[in-house]
């Protein structure tokens, strides 16, 4: 059966619609600046129906619980909640997904739900590893999380939001022509390509137990995206990529920064490694927008990550990215213990709204998530000297890249309207900029047949093809 995709748009109060003045963008964030953030939260009311125990795909259920917890805690009163359907956002059409993925792979995904038996023998052609299992609703599910990420990127690129949140997104392992892990469509790459239609440079930051392999591969040869990834590496851990020496190629040389760590990674390790690298990357690269994959696999108790990071440490990692004060897209990434992922993403949402991290013990008792979280302490295999060497190598690589000028941050629509001539006519070149922004119009995407525009970098995989 076809699943419903959502309800009409529902908007709630937001904290402020005022734009942050340029001089304030350079200042350290404080409570006042946090209150001025325009935060948009994207969700689909029926995301949970796509959970599949057979495919080990628990994330849709986890995202549904997160959405409920965010509302239960009253955070919906401090941001704009945008639901799919109606005048909100729509699941990504096939033509839009083909901006990155190949025609053959997208055609295969489209057939799974209603014609799965006919294409069952083709599945092996579209998987990168044996961790992939296609659920019967893999395609509509992928359309939902990809559509949300791309719409969120459009809101940032057009200055309609300072922070956009899509916890269903962050499926960073899919390649152009196949699935990998639980990732069918790479919404991260699609969102970054959407941003690059309007801005010059994007900083992508992965904080999770798994390496964002598909994102690294897509932008390995371009200098318009700098990738910083903190992840567990070694001992046969999925996906096996993300070595410290992988620095990028051709124009992208020096723009790929991997921070591989071992099991047992702790709060102190995280604080010593991540903030200095993120701050140095932002200062040197001067991105116009930031995409943060805030996975929860590194939290203590996650059934796959085997890390020791607490909610407090995770919150500090999110805060160090928000402190950059650039248009920021927050994506969910991995998280394989529902009670932990749900609370972590709710806490990150509260930080985006300018609130304090949500205390674990004071959430609504009638929420279906357990009130008590089991704590699992793993032996820490990360030595201080090894972490210091990783940090210094990353800082040296960042310093080897060209220093960029501060970017032009997208202005809010109100500011753009105020700059129009008295007769109301659009300034010269405005139509061209609107066309370059691309958006997710299916007709426009069909006309281009998914070909990247001149403003977009050619992904490495596409160049090889």
């Amino acid at each position: 059966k076809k699943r419903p995709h959502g309800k009409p748009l529902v908007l709630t109060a937001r904290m402020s619609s005022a734009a942050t003045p340029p001089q304030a963008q350079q200042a350290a964030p404080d409570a006042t600046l946090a209150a001025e953030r325009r935060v948009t939260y994207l969700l689909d009311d029926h995301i949970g129906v796509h959970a599949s125990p057979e495919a080990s795909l628990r994330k849709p259920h986890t995202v549904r619980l997160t959405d409920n917890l965010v509302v239960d805690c009253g955070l919906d009163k401090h941001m704009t909640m945008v639901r799919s359907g109606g005048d909100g956002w729509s699941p990504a059409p096939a033509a839009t997904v083909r901006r990155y993925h190949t025609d053959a792979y997208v055609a295969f995904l489209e057939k799974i739900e209603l014609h799965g038996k006919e294409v069952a023998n083709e599945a092996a052609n579209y998987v990168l590893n044996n961790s992939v299992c296609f659920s019967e609703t893999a395609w509509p599910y992928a359309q939902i999380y990809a559509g949300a990420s791309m719409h969120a990127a459009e809101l940032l690129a057009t200055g309609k939001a300072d922070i956009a949140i899509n916890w269903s997104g962050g499926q960073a392992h899919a390649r152009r022509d196949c699935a990998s892990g639980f990732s069918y469509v790479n919404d991260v790459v699609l969102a970054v390509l959407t941003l690059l239609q309007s801005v010059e440079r994007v900083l992508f930051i992965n904080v999770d137990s798994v390496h964002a392999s598909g994102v690294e591969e897509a932008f390995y040869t371009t200098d318009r995206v700098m990738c910083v990834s903190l992840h567990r590496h070694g001992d046969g851990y999925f996906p096996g990529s993300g070595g410290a020496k992988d620095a990028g190629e051709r124009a992208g040389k020096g723009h790929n920064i991997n921070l591989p760590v071992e099991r047992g990674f702790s709060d102190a390790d995280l604080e010593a490694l991540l903030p200095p690298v993120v701050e140095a990357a932002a200062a040197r690269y001067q991105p116009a927008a930031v995409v943060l994959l805030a996975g929860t696999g590194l939290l203590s108790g996650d059934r796959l990550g085997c890390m020791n990071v607490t909610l407090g440490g995770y919150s500090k990692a999110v805060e160090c990215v928000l402190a950059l004060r650039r248009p920021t897209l927050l994506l969910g990434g991995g998280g394989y213990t529902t009670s932990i992922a749900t609370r972590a993403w709710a806490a990150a949402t509260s930080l985006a709204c300018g609130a304090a991290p949500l205390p674990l013990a004071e959430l609504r008792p009638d929420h279906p998530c357990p009130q008590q979280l089991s704590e699992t302490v793993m032996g820490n295999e990360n030595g201080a000297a090894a972490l210091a060497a990783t940090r210094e190598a990353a800082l040296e690589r960042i310093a080897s890249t060209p220093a960029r000028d501060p970017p032009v941050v997208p202005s809010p629509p109100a500011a753009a309207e105020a700059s129009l001539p008295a007769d109301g006519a659009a300034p010269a070149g405005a139509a061209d900029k609107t066309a370059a922004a691309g958006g997710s119009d299916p007709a426009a995407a069909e006309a281009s047949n998914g070909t990247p525009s001149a403003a977009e970098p050619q992904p490495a995989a596409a160049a090889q093809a």
Side-chain angles (χ1 to χ4, degrees):
K1 291 184 178 180
K2 286 285 186 183
R3 264 70 169 184
H5 287 306
K7 296 180 179 179
L9 171 71
V10 177
L11 297 180
T12 62
R14 62 187 182 189
M15 300 195 73
S16 173
S17 60
T20 303
Q23 62 271 21
Q25 295 179 2
Q26 304 300 325
D30 56 24
T32 302
L33 295 178
E36 293 177 351
R37 292 173 181 160
R38 296 166 302 142
V39 182
T40 299
Y41 189 101
L42 291 87
L43 69 159
D44 183 287
D45 289 328
H46 303 284
I47 190 73
V49 304
H50 300 287
S52 172
E54 295 82 3
S56 300
L57 194 66
R58 296 181 57 81
K59 184 170 181 179
H61 174 65
T62 302
V63 172
R64 180 181 68 85
L65 290 178
T66 303
D67 296 338
N68 291 342
L69 184 55
V70 163
V71 174
D72 285 348
C73 294
L75 295 176
D76 57 323
K77 298 178 176 61
H78 303 292
M79 56 187 176
T80 302
M81 302 281 284
V82 184
R83 289 176 163 82
S84 64
D87 296 327
W89 56 274
S90 301
T96 304
V97 175
R98 286 197 293 266
R99 290 180 182 176
Y100 177 62
H101 292 283
T102 62
D103 292 350
Y105 178 50
V106 173
F108 166 77
L109 289 174
E110 289 182 285
K111 294 176 183 177
I112 292 176
E113 185 176 19
L114 299 180
H115 305 283
K117 187 176 180 180
E118 298 175 13
V119 297
N121 293 333
E122 302 177 26
N125 299 326
Y126 300 105
V127 297
L128 184 65
N129 44 59
N130 59 11
S131 63
V132 178
C133 183
F134 292 105
S135 66
E136 64 174 357
T137 62
W139 173 239
Y141 169 55
Q143 286 182 287
I144 290 173
Y145 70 71
S149 292
M150 296 180 73
H151 184 74
E154 290 173 359
L155 294 175
L156 297 174
T158 55
K160 296 178 181 178
D162 301 315
I163 299 172
I165 303 172
N166 172 31
W167 295 128
S168 67
Q171 311 290 352
H173 305 298
R175 306 306 204 270
R176 289 190 73 239
D177 57 355
C178 65
S180 176
F182 306 145
S183 175
Y184 304 128
V185 167
N186 199 318
D187 67 292
V188 184
V189 171
L190 290 168
V192 171
L193 290 176
T194 300
L195 287 168
L196 289 176
Q197 291 178 327
S198 301
V199 303
E200 183 62 26
R201 296 180 301 278
V202 174
L203 174 61
F204 168 71
I205 303 170
N206 174 61
V207 182
D208 203 350
S209 64
V210 291
H211 177 237
S213 51
V215 181
E216 177 182 287
E217 179 182 276
F219 301 113
Y220 204 65
T221 60
T222 180
D223 61 356
R224 293 191 60 195
V225 180
M226 176 174 280
C227 295
V228 176
S229 179
L230 187 151
H231 54 270
R232 183 180 161 190
H233 185 262
D235 296 331
Y237 192 74
F238 179 88
S241 56
K245 294 183 179 180
D246 298 335
E249 294 289 345
R250 300 202 288 274
K253 187 174 183 179
H255 291 76
N256 193 72
I257 317 294
N258 283 324
L259 305 172
V261 301
E262 302 288 344
R263 70 174 66 201
F265 191 70
S266 68
D267 286 0
D269 298 334
L270 180 63
E271 188 169 3
L273 184 58
L274 184 67
V277 174
V278 167
E279 292 167 6
R284 187 77 174 178
Y285 189 61
Q286 291 292 333
V290 176
V291 176
L292 171 62
L293 195 158
T296 64
L298 77 170
L299 283 161
S300 175
D302 183 87
R303 59 180 178 170
L304 292 184
C306 298
M307 305 282 206
N308 291 331
V309 175
T310 67
L311 183 64
Y314 175 85
S315 298
K316 288 183 179 180
V318 174
E319 285 181 309
C320 88
V321 176
L322 296 178
L324 300 178
R325 296 202 54 77
R326 301 293 165 86
T328 302
L329 173 57
L330 294 180
L331 301 174
Y336 308 102
T337 298
T338 296
S339 56
I340 294 174
T342 297
R343 294 173 184 278
W345 286 333
T349 302
S350 72
L351 290 172
C353 293
L358 294 174
L360 291 180
E362 297 178 11
L363 299 177
R364 289 188 52 163
D366 56 345
H367 192 269
C369 276
Q371 288 300 300
Q372 299 298 325
L373 301 183
S374 60
E375 294 186 1
T376 303
V377 179
M378 306 294 297
N380 193 338
E381 299 178 5
N382 297 274
L387 290 175
T390 299
R391 180 184 65 243
E392 295 307 313
L395 295 176
E396 289 179 10
R397 184 174 300 168
I398 293 169
S400 71
T401 62
R404 269 67 169 205
D405 294 328
V408 177
V409 178
S411 301
E417 293 171 2
S419 65
L420 291 176
D423 59 3
D432 294 337
K433 292 182 180 180
T434 302
S440 58
D441 178 58
E446 287 284 6
S448 66
N449 195 28
T451 304
S453 69
E456 299 173 353
Q458 187 74 0
Q464 294 171 2

